[in-house]
Amino acid sequence: MSQEFSYEILEEITVLSENNKGWTKELNLISWNNRPAKFDLRDWAPNHEKMGKGITLTNEEFAVLKETLTNM
């Protein structure tokens, strides 16, 4: 059984890369199913009509990741 879901990209933060088919790896702030927005890192087709698997982070998780990367 497939589960319906909705999403709204509230802020397009950055594009990390683009492949030869036009898909982009992006960091965005997204609200999933009308819930509070989270940071999201995943591949997107042009115009955001399709998406690949990704990772979604809370504000706290994103802050830890940011601090870790800054201190590398």
Side-chain angles (χ1 to χ4, degrees), residues 29-59:
L29 195 58
I30 299 181
S31 172
W32 297 96
N33 296 324
N34 297 311
R35 293 190 175 135
K38 294 184 178 182
F39 291 95
D40 186 80
L41 180 62
R42 75 181 60 241
D43 292 330
W44 289 92
N47 299 318
H48 297 119
E49 72 271 8
K50 293 182 182 179
M51 68 183 86
K53 291 183 179 179
I55 182 169
T56 302
L57 304 168
T58 63
N59 288 343

Tab-separated table of all heavy atoms in Angstrom, residues 29-59:
chain	number	residue	atom	x	y	z
A	29	LEU	N	15.143	23.634	3.272
A	29	LEU	CA	14.298	23.624	4.457
A	29	LEU	C	12.907	23.225	3.969
A	29	LEU	O	12.297	23.934	3.157
A	29	LEU	CB	14.279	25.003	5.110
A	29	LEU	CG	13.757	25.098	6.522
A	29	LEU	CD1	14.558	24.204	7.478
A	29	LEU	CD2	13.808	26.531	7.003
A	30	ILE	N	12.422	22.050	4.435
A	30	ILE	CA	11.185	21.483	3.896
A	30	ILE	C	10.204	21.154	5.016
A	30	ILE	O	10.585	20.628	6.059
A	30	ILE	CB	11.476	20.192	3.088
A	30	ILE	CG1	12.383	20.504	1.904
A	30	ILE	CG2	10.184	19.541	2.611
A	30	ILE	CD1	12.700	19.303	1.041
A	31	SER	N	8.936	21.432	4.757
A	31	SER	CA	7.853	20.987	5.628
A	31	SER	C	7.242	19.743	4.992
A	31	SER	O	6.762	19.781	3.859
A	31	SER	CB	6.790	22.085	5.761
A	31	SER	OG	5.659	21.578	6.444
A	32	TRP	N	7.301	18.622	5.708
A	32	TRP	CA	6.719	17.361	5.250
A	32	TRP	C	5.358	17.188	5.909
A	32	TRP	O	5.235	17.268	7.125
A	32	TRP	CB	7.621	16.180	5.615
A	32	TRP	CG	8.959	16.239	4.955
A	32	TRP	CD1	10.113	16.732	5.489
A	32	TRP	CD2	9.288	15.806	3.633
A	32	TRP	NE1	11.138	16.629	4.585
A	32	TRP	CE2	10.662	16.061	3.431
A	32	TRP	CE3	8.559	15.233	2.600
A	32	TRP	CZ2	11.309	15.765	2.245
A	32	TRP	CZ3	9.211	14.936	1.417
A	32	TRP	CH2	10.563	15.189	1.243
A	33	ASN	N	4.321	16.964	5.111
A	33	ASN	CA	2.962	16.738	5.622
A	33	ASN	C	2.510	17.846	6.578
A	33	ASN	O	1.899	17.582	7.610
A	33	ASN	CB	2.858	15.367	6.296
A	33	ASN	CG	3.079	14.240	5.311
A	33	ASN	OD1	2.674	14.327	4.162
A	33	ASN	ND2	3.740	13.198	5.750
A	34	ASN	N	2.833	19.071	6.219
A	34	ASN	CA	2.423	20.260	6.983
A	34	ASN	C	2.965	20.285	8.410
A	34	ASN	O	2.386	20.929	9.287
A	34	ASN	CB	0.895	20.408	6.988
A	34	ASN	CG	0.354	20.611	5.606
A	34	ASN	OD1	0.847	21.440	4.855
A	34	ASN	ND2	-0.661	19.839	5.246
A	35	ARG	N	4.070	19.607	8.633
A	35	ARG	CA	4.715	19.613	9.951
A	35	ARG	C	5.785	20.694	9.980
A	35	ARG	O	6.127	21.262	8.941
A	35	ARG	CB	5.326	18.241	10.223
A	35	ARG	CG	4.258	17.173	10.383
A	35	ARG	CD	4.853	15.889	10.890
A	35	ARG	NE	3.782	14.934	11.132
A	35	ARG	CZ	3.826	13.676	10.766
A	35	ARG	NH1	4.894	13.185	10.155
A	35	ARG	NH2	2.819	12.878	11.032
A	36	PRO	N	6.336	20.981	11.169
A	36	PRO	CA	7.409	21.984	11.234
A	36	PRO	C	8.560	21.631	10.278
A	36	PRO	O	8.894	20.454	10.104
A	36	PRO	CB	7.861	21.919	12.698
A	36	PRO	CG	6.652	21.444	13.435
A	36	PRO	CD	5.978	20.471	12.508
A	37	ALA	N	9.136	22.653	9.693
A	37	ALA	CA	10.182	22.465	8.683
A	37	ALA	C	11.433	21.842	9.276
A	37	ALA	O	11.763	22.069	10.445
A	37	ALA	CB	10.524	23.805	8.043
A	38	LYS	N	12.111	21.032	8.434
A	38	LYS	CA	13.380	20.411	8.801
A	38	LYS	C	14.359	20.608	7.652
A	38	LYS	O	13.970	20.841	6.511
A	38	LYS	CB	13.197	18.917	9.064
A	38	LYS	CG	12.339	18.622	10.279
A	38	LYS	CD	12.271	17.140	10.550
A	38	LYS	CE	11.457	16.869	11.804
A	38	LYS	NZ	11.419	15.441	12.114
A	39	PHE	N	15.643	20.509	7.984
A	39	PHE	CA	16.677	20.564	6.957
A	39	PHE	C	16.677	19.242	6.212
A	39	PHE	O	16.534	18.175	6.823
A	39	PHE	CB	18.044	20.826	7.590
A	39	PHE	CG	18.160	22.204	8.157
A	39	PHE	CD1	17.911	22.440	9.497
A	39	PHE	CD2	18.498	23.276	7.345
A	39	PHE	CE1	18.009	23.713	10.033
A	39	PHE	CE2	18.593	24.561	7.863
A	39	PHE	CZ	18.339	24.773	9.205
A	40	ASP	N	16.824	19.297	4.900
A	40	ASP	CA	16.707	18.101	4.078
A	40	ASP	C	17.801	18.109	3.015
A	40	ASP	O	17.990	19.105	2.323
A	40	ASP	CB	15.332	18.089	3.408
A	40	ASP	CG	15.074	16.808	2.655
A	40	ASP	OD1	14.710	15.813	3.307
A	40	ASP	OD2	15.245	16.801	1.429
A	41	LEU	N	18.498	16.986	2.897
A	41	LEU	CA	19.566	16.819	1.909
A	41	LEU	C	19.206	15.635	1.028
A	41	LEU	O	19.087	14.513	1.519
A	41	LEU	CB	20.901	16.580	2.619
A	41	LEU	CG	22.132	16.388	1.748
A	41	LEU	CD1	22.411	17.627	0.915
A	41	LEU	CD2	23.326	16.052	2.613
A	42	ARG	N	18.984	15.891	-0.283
A	42	ARG	CA	18.621	14.818	-1.207
A	42	ARG	C	18.793	15.259	-2.648
A	42	ARG	O	18.999	16.434	-2.926
A	42	ARG	CB	17.202	14.315	-0.961
A	42	ARG	CG	16.096	15.221	-1.432
A	42	ARG	CD	14.699	14.661	-1.122
A	42	ARG	NE	14.520	14.472	0.299
A	42	ARG	CZ	14.283	13.300	0.884
A	42	ARG	NH1	14.153	12.213	0.168
A	42	ARG	NH2	14.151	13.223	2.192
A	43	ASP	N	18.678	14.288	-3.564
A	43	ASP	CA	18.723	14.559	-4.995
A	43	ASP	C	17.326	14.924	-5.491
A	43	ASP	O	16.332	14.315	-5.070
A	43	ASP	CB	19.203	13.317	-5.758
A	43	ASP	CG	20.657	12.982	-5.486
A	43	ASP	OD1	21.436	13.903	-5.208
A	43	ASP	OD2	21.003	11.796	-5.567
A	44	TRP	N	17.289	15.910	-6.383
A	44	TRP	CA	16.025	16.366	-6.969
A	44	TRP	C	16.140	16.396	-8.487
A	44	TRP	O	17.156	16.833	-9.034
A	44	TRP	CB	15.681	17.774	-6.497
A	44	TRP	CG	15.271	17.839	-5.070
A	44	TRP	CD1	16.084	18.076	-3.990
A	44	TRP	CD2	13.955	17.671	-4.551
A	44	TRP	NE1	15.351	18.061	-2.837
A	44	TRP	CE2	14.039	17.814	-3.155
A	44	TRP	CE3	12.722	17.404	-5.130
A	44	TRP	CZ2	12.928	17.709	-2.326
A	44	TRP	CZ3	11.611	17.302	-4.301
A	44	TRP	CH2	11.729	17.454	-2.922
A	45	ALA	N	15.065	15.993	-9.146
A	45	ALA	CA	14.960	16.145	-10.596
A	45	ALA	C	14.724	17.626	-10.894
A	45	ALA	O	14.303	18.389	-10.009
A	45	ALA	CB	13.800	15.307	-11.129
A	46	PRO	N	14.983	18.038	-12.136
A	46	PRO	CA	14.685	19.431	-12.495
A	46	PRO	C	13.238	19.783	-12.136
A	46	PRO	O	12.335	18.956	-12.238
A	46	PRO	CB	14.905	19.463	-14.003
A	46	PRO	CG	15.906	18.370	-14.252
A	46	PRO	CD	15.550	17.290	-13.263
A	47	ASN	N	13.022	20.976	-11.677
A	47	ASN	CA	11.707	21.502	-11.269
A	47	ASN	C	11.114	20.792	-10.056
A	47	ASN	O	9.930	20.928	-9.777
A	47	ASN	CB	10.716	21.459	-12.433
A	47	ASN	CG	11.174	22.298	-13.593
A	47	ASN	OD1	11.668	23.408	-13.415
A	47	ASN	ND2	11.046	21.771	-14.791
A	48	HIS	N	11.929	19.989	-9.365
A	48	HIS	CA	11.506	19.294	-8.139
A	48	HIS	C	10.303	18.388	-8.333
A	48	HIS	O	9.523	18.169	-7.412
A	48	HIS	CB	11.226	20.294	-7.009
A	48	HIS	CG	12.434	21.073	-6.610
A	48	HIS	ND1	12.499	22.440	-6.706
A	48	HIS	CD2	13.635	20.679	-6.137
A	48	HIS	CE1	13.688	22.844	-6.300
A	48	HIS	NE2	14.400	21.785	-5.946
A	49	GLU	N	10.131	17.827	-9.552
A	49	GLU	CA	8.978	16.949	-9.779
A	49	GLU	C	9.211	15.524	-9.275
A	49	GLU	O	8.257	14.794	-9.054
A	49	GLU	CB	8.566	16.931	-11.257
A	49	GLU	CG	9.524	16.195	-12.185
A	49	GLU	CD	10.620	17.077	-12.758
A	49	GLU	OE1	10.756	18.237	-12.338
A	49	GLU	OE2	11.344	16.580	-13.642
A	50	LYS	N	10.473	15.128	-9.074
A	50	LYS	CA	10.813	13.821	-8.504
A	50	LYS	C	11.970	14.011	-7.538
A	50	LYS	O	12.729	14.970	-7.654
A	50	LYS	CB	11.239	12.836	-9.591
A	50	LYS	CG	10.140	12.435	-10.543
A	50	LYS	CD	10.655	11.423	-11.543
A	50	LYS	CE	9.566	11.063	-12.526
A	50	LYS	NZ	10.059	10.100	-13.518
A	51	MET	N	12.098	13.053	-6.602
A	51	MET	CA	13.175	13.146	-5.622
A	51	MET	C	13.780	11.774	-5.380
A	51	MET	O	13.126	10.755	-5.578
A	51	MET	CB	12.669	13.730	-4.306
A	51	MET	CG	11.711	12.817	-3.570
A	51	MET	SD	11.042	13.512	-2.060
A	51	MET	CE	9.659	14.426	-2.691
A	52	GLY	N	15.036	11.786	-4.942
A	52	GLY	CA	15.699	10.559	-4.528
A	52	GLY	C	15.629	10.432	-3.019
A	52	GLY	O	15.071	11.280	-2.325
A	53	LYS	N	16.191	9.339	-2.525
A	53	LYS	CA	16.249	9.157	-1.072
A	53	LYS	C	17.157	10.216	-0.480
A	53	LYS	O	18.106	10.660	-1.109
A	53	LYS	CB	16.771	7.776	-0.727
A	53	LYS	CG	15.804	6.681	-1.089
A	53	LYS	CD	16.323	5.336	-0.671
A	53	LYS	CE	15.326	4.254	-1.036
A	53	LYS	NZ	15.805	2.931	-0.669
A	54	GLY	N	16.862	10.606	0.737
A	54	GLY	CA	17.661	11.640	1.365
A	54	GLY	C	17.700	11.488	2.861
A	54	GLY	O	17.298	10.473	3.417
A	55	ILE	N	18.168	12.540	3.493
A	55	ILE	CA	18.244	12.577	4.952
A	55	ILE	C	17.613	13.884	5.419
A	55	ILE	O	17.808	14.941	4.814
A	55	ILE	CB	19.704	12.451	5.449
A	55	ILE	CG1	19.767	12.439	6.965
A	55	ILE	CG2	20.593	13.518	4.865
A	55	ILE	CD1	21.120	12.064	7.517
A	56	THR	N	16.826	13.786	6.480
A	56	THR	CA	16.146	14.942	7.047
A	56	THR	C	16.645	15.148	8.468
A	56	THR	O	16.740	14.191	9.235
A	56	THR	CB	14.617	14.723	7.020
A	56	THR	OG1	14.216	14.502	5.666
A	56	THR	CG2	13.879	15.921	7.561
A	57	LEU	N	16.983	16.384	8.800
A	57	LEU	CA	17.573	16.709	10.102
A	57	LEU	C	16.757	17.772	10.820
A	57	LEU	O	16.318	18.744	10.218
A	57	LEU	CB	18.994	17.245	9.914
A	57	LEU	CG	19.979	16.356	9.161
A	57	LEU	CD1	21.226	17.138	8.811
A	57	LEU	CD2	20.323	15.146	9.998
A	58	THR	N	16.610	17.579	12.140
A	58	THR	CA	16.000	18.622	12.967
A	58	THR	C	16.984	19.789	13.091
A	58	THR	O	18.163	19.665	12.723
A	58	THR	CB	15.690	18.091	14.382
A	58	THR	OG1	16.936	17.743	15.008
A	58	THR	CG2	14.761	16.889	14.351
A	59	ASN	N	16.530	20.888	13.638
A	59	ASN	CA	17.419	22.038	13.864
A	59	ASN	C	18.602	21.643	14.739
A	59	ASN	O	19.732	22.052	14.486
A	59	ASN	CB	16.661	23.194	14.516
A	59	ASN	CG	15.710	23.869	13.563
A	59	ASN	OD1	15.796	23.718	12.353
A	59	ASN	ND2	14.768	24.609	14.117
